[in-house]
Amino acid sequence: MNFFARFAQNRGALVGLIILTTIILMAITAPLFFPESPWRMLQRPFLTPFEVDGFPMGTDTMGRNVAAGLMHGAWVSLLIGLVSTTVALLIGLPLGAIAGYYGGLLDDALMRFTEFFQTIPSFALAIVLVAIMQPSVTSIVLAIALVSWPPVARLVRAEFMSLRNREYVEAARLVGQGNTTIILRQILPNAMSPIIVLASLMVATAILLESSLSFLGLGDPNVMSWGYMIGAARTVIRQAWWLSFFPGLAILLTVLALNLVGEGLDDALNPKLSRERS
Amino acid sequence: MLYARLIIMRLLKAVIVLFLIVIFNFFLIHMAPGDPAVVMAGEAGATDAEFLNQLREQFGLDQPLYVQLWNYVSGIATLDFGYSYRQQTPVFDLIMDRLPATLLLTGTAFVMSLGLGILAGSMAAARAKKLSGSLIMALALVFYATPLFWVALMAVMLFSVQLEWLPAYGYYTVGTDLTGFALVLDIGQHLILPATTLALFSMAVYTRMTRTSMLEASQQDYVKTARAKGLAPGVIQRRHILRNALLPIITLAGLQAGQMVGGAILTETVFAWPGIGRLMFEALMQRDYNLLLGIFFFSAALVIAFNIITDLVYGLVDPRIKESS
């Protein structure tokens, strides 16, 4: 069975992929449907959904188009999710690889370091980091990456520990390949599949984190995001439920879709394991 | 006794971690934009030069960095977390005032998520091949993906605004002189919504873990033996499978403690629950960095305390710990 057939066997993963594709399309086409800035006040505030043509989700407290905010917000959520996961991988991968490959004292020291970061409550740390660095896309990405790399390091370390004494690694060593070459060319490719699965789940967590930060008012003041929309509508929930309902639903669907896709990837990349598990 | 030594080791580790966080906090204060004196005074709060000079002198900001670090660390060792100029109160007093509400909220949510999660997970494991089992798992996945602050707002919408069953805000009904049992009942009513929404995410995590762990345990030889002995399926599920499946869940519960404390910041903000999470939101709004970092320290301490408790429970549940480690 090829990769996609195994992936598609998991119905949930297929549904997740469809939702995710829709959201990516939303993000890409946002400037086409709503060329104006989502911050512009276009109508009177508190329009209910479908009350006025062109405002299918109504307007917010300042008369901004909720539908436009939703589509532009998709772009921000996906971007921050992807970039912060990439940065977290860039921190966690080398640390985990070095700890797992070399072992010994170096491993001990790196794992203590990782444990320290795992003990600190991640959301509180993210809040403090963004508040100190001042809210911006860069500081949010950095803060999310800094609180989410430890699981990567642990996973990569475990993979490297189990792979470092395999025969093909011994063979590479005998041929005279250096440690760096062995790490990058021999072990890493074979450790890739669980890392890919973890990364897809991390994008989901990062999107949740970003929305929570911007809900608390720590979003980049220049970009429209789902969390900001909910946070701004929090105090008027009694008058205007739709202002927080739709962006929240968007976050829920995106995170759900990424989790489903992650499970599907797990099935497709580790066919033996998943069969044993179910 | 080995168990006692384990506890001492954990406490020692906790002290080291907290010490590192204090140092981390010190550098964060210095990383914040602008003059640390301004930062400590709360950015826009006080700007006249004389006051700032006075602050600089008071905090020894004219002294070399290592002296400042020493002053900061020794201050915290004597529970001096600095002064919140915005609230005109020492940071430590502010936090102590709010801590009980947070302990009540996170403690309730912690117990609730564990209890309900294990219950749902074991039901899903027992019905692994049936539709009801899949339904539980689907629901758990949805809870896992739901943003906490959103579900809190929606709960307010439904249960407070529409149905008017439960209070939406606060810790107790203001303006009433309730005492004794009536007060407990009143606080309990205010606690239901925040605790439930805070518990949902962790509950989903435990549900998934319990199911996996129980399905794994049900493959073990001792389960086959129990079945061959003719024990009732319910007894096997509870006594043989669940008890062994609990160990990884307790480990996970320790890791979830951070989630609880972080989630409390959002829940308390939505429900105006007067805990340190709400205080953190207030500190954030006012850019009161001294208070913010003090709360950060305490939230880490809270997580470590939760971790130690789960370690102790682990030792009680698994008697092997006492001998092997």
Side-chain angles (χ1 to χ4, degrees):
Chain A
M1 250 196 315
N2 66 12
F3 175 80
F4 190 74
R6 282 199 303 263
F7 181 85
Q9 254 194 344
N10 183 333
R11 287 285 166 77
L14 219 50
V15 174
L17 191 64
I18 292 169
I19 301 176
L20 194 62
T21 315
T22 316
I23 290 162
I24 294 173
L25 282 177
M26 262 169 69
I28 296 173
T29 55
L32 295 177
F33 285 104
F34 302 99
E36 304 224 26
S37 156
W39 295 95
R40 277 204 52 187
M41 302 162 194
L42 298 169
Q43 256 289 350
R44 78 196 147 77
F46 292 111
L47 282 183
T48 51
F50 294 113
E51 198 180 323
V52 172
D53 252 9
F55 295 86
M57 289 173 184
T59 55
D60 71 0
T61 52
M62 312 269 266
R64 294 175 295 215
N65 193 342
V66 176
L70 209 66
M71 286 184 71
H72 283 275
W75 172 245
V76 176
S77 286
L78 292 175
L79 182 79
I80 290 187
L82 276 174
V83 178
S84 59
T85 302
T86 312
V87 178
L89 287 175
L90 287 178
I91 305 171
L93 260 171
L95 287 183
I98 291 169
Y101 184 77
Y102 291 104
L105 270 177
L106 196 58
D107 177 32
D108 269 350
L110 287 176
M111 279 304 110
R112 289 290 159 282
F113 184 65
T114 312
E115 248 176 56
F116 172 67
F117 268 88
Q118 266 190 320
T119 319
I120 305 177
S122 54
F123 186 50
L125 176 60
I127 287 178
V128 167
L129 287 173
V130 175
I132 298 274
M133 290 190 281
Q134 304 302 312
S136 69
V137 170
T138 318
S139 69
I140 294 169
V141 163
L142 274 180
I144 296 177
L146 276 176
V147 301
S148 42
W149 65 267
V152 182
R154 295 194 88 111
L155 175 79
V156 173
R157 171 180 175 263
E159 286 293 313
F160 269 65
M161 278 181 27
S162 78
L163 293 176
R164 70 176 172 199
N165 292 322
R166 291 289 170 87
E167 272 145 10
Y168 63 83
V169 179
E170 299 285 343
R173 218 168 266 144
L174 281 176
V175 185
Q177 288 190 351
N179 286 329
T180 320
T181 320
I182 293 178
I183 289 176
L184 290 177
R185 296 267 179 83
Q186 305 293 342
I187 306 185
L188 191 60
N190 286 293
M192 248 5 242
S193 30
I195 298 174
I196 291 172
V197 174
L198 179 68
S200 68
L201 301 179
M202 278 168 63
V203 176
T205 317
I207 289 178
L208 269 183
L209 256 174
E210 185 276 330
S211 68
S212 306
L213 286 170
S214 42
F215 171 76
L216 288 179
L218 287 174
D220 188 321
N222 300 310
V223 294
M224 182 58 83
S225 78
W226 293 336
Y228 165 80
M229 293 170 78
I230 302 175
R234 180 168 73 87
T235 45
V236 293
I237 180 115
R238 280 162 202 271
Q239 299 96 295
W241 57 271
W242 63 93
L243 295 183
S244 19
F245 180 75
F246 292 118
L249 199 64
I251 301 171
L252 167 59
L253 285 175
T254 312
V255 174
L256 190 66
L258 280 163
N259 273 295
L260 290 170
V261 168
E263 277 177 18
L265 283 175
D266 198 16
D267 287 356
L269 291 168
N270 312 312
K272 191 167 152 278
L273 269 175
S274 349
R275 222 175 302 134
E276 274 168 12
R277 227 178 287 149
S278 53
Chain B
M1 199 184 130
L2 281 165
Y3 194 49
R5 235 178 75 188
L6 182 78
I7 297 169
I8 293 170
M9 287 302 286
R10 291 291 284 121
L11 286 175
L12 203 68
K13 213 166 124 190
V15 172
I16 295 173
V17 171
L18 289 177
F19 176 71
L20 288 174
I21 289 176
V22 171
I23 294 179
F24 188 65
N25 270 356
F26 174 78
F27 286 107
L28 278 177
I29 283 245
H30 283 263
M31 251 178 67
D35 188 334
V38 184
V39 172
M40 283 175 189
E43 264 188 325
T47 36
D48 74 289
E50 201 168 317
F51 179 59
L52 288 180
N53 273 333
Q54 191 190 323
L55 278 182
R56 253 178 230 121
E57 210 167 291
Q58 190 184 335
F59 291 116
L61 291 171
D62 39 0
Q63 285 168 355
L65 206 63
Y66 65 90
V67 178
Q68 291 183 41
L69 177 63
W70 170 250
N71 289 341
Y72 186 76
V73 173
S74 52
I76 283 178
T78 55
L79 296 180
D80 173 14
F81 285 82
Y83 193 76
S84 164
Y85 287 92
R86 284 305 175 87
Q87 313 233 14
Q88 294 293 320
T89 320
V91 168
F92 183 72
D93 295 357
L94 278 171
I95 293 174
M96 280 301 125
D97 192 39
R98 300 290 194 95
L99 200 57
T102 295
L103 287 178
L104 180 65
L105 176 65
T106 48
T108 311
F110 193 66
V111 173
M112 204 159 146
S113 60
L114 256 180
L116 293 176
I118 292 173
L119 185 72
S122 42
M123 274 163 67
R127 294 167 181 71
K129 299 235 155 58
K130 291 183 195 152
L131 183 67
S132 54
S134 312
L135 267 177
I136 294 176
M137 294 323 287
L139 206 62
L141 186 62
V142 171
F143 285 153
Y144 185 74
T146 313
L148 177 60
F149 52 92
W150 184 69
V151 89
L153 281 171
M154 293 301 120
V156 169
M157 245 338 262
L158 183 63
F159 294 107
S160 308
V161 179
Q162 294 294 324
L163 299 170
E164 296 183 0
W165 284 354
L166 293 163
Y169 300 107
Y171 185 39
Y172 55 85
T173 315
V174 182
T176 49
D177 286 319
L178 296 171
T179 45
F181 186 66
L183 180 66
V184 172
L185 204 71
D186 187 50
I187 292 179
Q189 271 189 351
H190 282 81
L191 183 61
I192 293 176
L193 281 186
T196 313
T197 47
L198 179 55
L200 278 182
F201 179 88
S202 299
M203 196 179 96
V205 174
Y206 298 137
T207 303
R208 296 168 70 156
M209 185 73 192
T210 307
R211 178 178 177 273
T212 316
S213 181
M214 279 184 73
L215 288 178
E216 234 160 62
S218 64
Q219 303 290 319
Q220 301 291 325
D221 285 339
Y222 57 77
V223 175
K224 286 180 194 146
T225 312
R227 231 171 249 142
K229 274 200 307 194
L231 280 181
V235 176
I236 299 176
Q237 279 285 337
R238 278 192 307 273
R239 293 244 184 104
H240 296 255
I241 300 177
L242 182 60
R243 198 173 277 189
N244 283 286
L246 275 181
L247 292 175
I249 297 161
I250 296 171
T251 309
L252 192 68
L255 291 172
Q256 282 294 305
Q259 179 62 42
M260 277 285 156
V261 173
I265 302 167
L266 294 166
T267 330
E268 289 180 4
T269 302
V270 173
F271 290 101
W273 187 262
I276 57 169
R278 173 85 191 174
L279 190 64
M280 193 169 197
F281 179 68
E282 288 160 14
L284 210 56
M285 290 294 100
Q286 302 170 332
R287 294 289 184 265
D288 189 341
Y289 292 107
N290 236 3
L291 181 56
L292 191 67
L293 291 174
I295 298 168
F296 174 56
F297 175 86
F298 269 88
S299 60
L302 211 57
V303 170
I304 293 172
F306 266 116
N307 280 332
I308 292 178
I309 293 171
T310 45
D311 272 8
L312 294 183
V313 173
Y314 197 104
L316 292 177
V317 175
D318 187 0
R320 283 171 300 189
I321 286 283
K322 291 180 192 171
E323 284 133 45
S324 62
S325 68

